[in-house]
C-alpha cells in the first residue's frame, strides 16, 4: 500500500527487469496495482508514483546524484513530443504521458548528458543486429529447456502458445 508506506516514512523505489523495459508503463502498472490492492482509487497518486520512480529509486540506491534534475546530478533527461496525438489534450503532461502516450511520445533521451535516443531511434545500439542475436539466443534456450526443467518438460509443455500455430 504505497500511500500507507510513505505515510510511515518508508522509502519506495520502482524498477523493472521484465520485458519490455518500459519504465513509463511500470509507473502506470504500479498506480493501478496499488489502487486495486488498497481498494481505494484515491491512493497512489501520479505524483507519488513518479517520485517513487525517480527520487525514491535514487534514495533506495543511496545516490544523491540521480533521480532529479539539479546542479551536480547526472543529466538523465527524457524529452516528450507534446504534439503527439496520445499526449492530447495536454492539460496535465505527466498524466498524459503515463496514462495515455507512454513511450510512444518519447522523442529524445539523454543519459548522463549523452544523447542515446534521437527522434525515437536508439543511437547506441544496432537494433537489427541485437534482434538477430536475441532470436538466436531464444532458439538456443528453447532447444535446451527440457534439460534445465526439473520435470523434463519441453517449451510447449511449460509455456503453451495462447493460440497454437497451425501445422
Amino acid at each position: 500500500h504505497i500511500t500507507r508506506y510513505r505515510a510511515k516514512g518508508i522509502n519506495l523505489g520502482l524498477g523493472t527487469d521484465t520485458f519490455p523495459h518500459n519504465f513509463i508503463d511500470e509507473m502506470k502498472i504500479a498506480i493501478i496495482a496499488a489502487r486495486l490492492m488498497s481498494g481505494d482509487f484515491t491512493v497512489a497518486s501520479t505524483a507519488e508514483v513518479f517520485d517513487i520512480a525517480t527520487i525514491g529509486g535514487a534514495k533506495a540506491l543511496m545516490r544523491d546524484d540521480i533521480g532529479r534534475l539539479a546542479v551536480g546530478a547526472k543529466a538523465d533527461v527524457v524529452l516528450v513530443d507534446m504534439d503527439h496525438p496520445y499526449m492530447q489534450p495536454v492539460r496535465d503532461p505527466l498524466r498524459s504521458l503515463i496514462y495515455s502516450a507512454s513511450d510512444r511520445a518519447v522523442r529524445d533521451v539523454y543519459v548522463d548528458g549523452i544523447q542515446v535516443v534521437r527522434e525515437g531511434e536508439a543511437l547506441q545500439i544496432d537494433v537489427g543486429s541485437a534482434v538477430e542475436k536475441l532470436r538466436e539466443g531464444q532458439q538456443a534456450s528453447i532447444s535446451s529447456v527440457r534439460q534445465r526443467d526439473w520435470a523434463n518438460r519441453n517449451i510447449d509443455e511449460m509455456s503453451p502458445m495462447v493460440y497454437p500455430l497451425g501445422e
Side-chain angles (χ1 to χ4, degrees):
H1 192 303
I2 288 172
T3 303
R4 248 191 272 153
Y5 284 144
R6 287 179 47 104
K8 299 279 186 191
I10 298 170
N11 181 62
L12 300 172
L14 183 66
T16 182
D17 64 355
T18 60
F19 181 80
H21 299 284
N22 186 328
F23 201 61
I24 299 169
D25 281 349
E26 295 301 325
M27 287 187 273
K28 180 178 176 180
I29 291 167
I31 292 165
I32 292 168
R35 290 174 180 178
L36 287 172
M37 295 303 293
S38 70
D40 183 352
F41 73 92
T42 66
V43 301
S45 73
T46 305
E48 260 186 314
V49 172
F50 185 77
D51 288 348
I52 287 167
T54 55
I55 56 178
K59 187 175 177 184
L61 294 170
M62 294 185 261
R63 302 271 309 267
D64 61 1
D65 63 328
I66 60 174
R68 61 197 172 84
L69 290 177
V71 174
K74 294 189 181 292
D76 294 356
V77 179
V78 173
L79 300 178
V80 174
D81 179 0
M82 299 301 284
D83 292 326
H84 192 283
Y86 289 144
M87 288 295 293
Q88 306 307 313
V90 186
R91 179 179 166 272
D92 187 333
L94 191 55
R95 280 192 175 126
S96 293
L97 180 65
I98 292 173
Y99 298 110
S100 181
S102 189
D103 63 338
R104 292 178 291 249
V106 172
R107 188 182 72 215
D108 300 319
V109 177
Y110 295 81
V111 175
D112 197 14
I114 298 168
Q115 189 169 20
V116 297
V117 174
R118 180 182 297 122
E119 296 296 327
E121 299 295 325
L123 302 175
Q124 305 288 324
I125 185 171
D126 177 350
V127 175
S129 176
V131 167
E132 185 54 38
K133 288 178 184 175
L134 175 65
R135 287 181 182 141
E136 291 169 9
Q138 181 185 37
Q139 287 308 310
S141 178
I142 287 171
S143 67
S144 63
V145 163
R146 188 180 296 277
Q147 292 82 9
R148 293 189 317 268
D149 180 50
W150 65 272
N152 200 36
R153 294 171 293 182
N154 68 32
I155 190 71
D156 293 320
E157 293 167 323
M158 288 180 70
S159 180
M161 300 289 280
V162 173
Y163 291 110
L165 301 175
E167 297 297 317

